[in-house]
Amino acid sequence: GEIVLGLLFAAHKNVAIGAAQLLCFTAGTPPEGEALDRAIRETLRLCALGLGSLRQVRGAPFPLGPWRLPPGRLVAVSHQLLARDPALWDEPDVFRPARFAEPAAPFAWIPFGAGPHGCPGRSVALRLIRELAAAVAARGLTLQGAPPPLDFTRATLAQRRGPVHARLG
């Protein structure tokens, strides 16, 4: 029951936050087609909806840079640090969806995790973000001024430093 409840909570919260942040980044008018897919990916890169991944080394020692991690050791991967790493992303703090016209470095974009433990709802979440943002924009969303900058100091990631003033309809 706890797993199902957790999945339902994440499916609702993360999709809503992802769509809201997409609308903030695109001034209430998301692009269409392939440009929309790139804008969604860029939004999720900048607004990590999860803290990261935690895995345990199994089997043989795992090489990580200059270290060899023994079996049983826990490894944490920060989605936000990867998404803002200038070694992986040119101008990492800038919203630039066109960067996704080219393939990203392997495992540089992992807002849903990766591998066998990645989010099983990834494709559904991406589709729902797309549909929710398009439905809200179609109702005539107008942002009243620029949205405040992103703020990662609260418990829930991908928040804004203050309220986003918008008008619908």
Side-chain angles (χ1 to χ4, degrees), residues 72-112:
R73 179 69 48 101
L74 291 175
V75 178
V77 176
S78 168
H79 296 179
Q80 192 59 31
L81 289 176
L82 280 174
R84 303 290 178 121
D85 186 342
L88 299 172
W89 306 99
D90 182 40
E91 298 180 293
D93 295 324
V94 175
F95 179 76
R96 195 165 29 101
R99 75 176 78 237
F100 284 100
E102 299 296 325
F107 298 109
W109 187 81
I110 56 169
F112 296 99

Side-chain angles (χ1 to χ4, degrees), residues 1 8 11 15 21 46 61 71 73 77 88 99 105 108 138 144 153 157:
L8 289 174
V15 166
Q21 295 296 358
L46 289 169
R73 179 69 48 101
V77 176
L88 299 172
R99 75 176 78 237
Q144 311 292 303
T153 59
L157 294 176

Side-chain angles (χ1 to χ4, degrees), residues 153-164:
T153 59
R154 292 184 257 167
T156 302
L157 294 176
Q159 299 297 305
R160 294 287 170 159
R161 198 162 287 151
V164 175

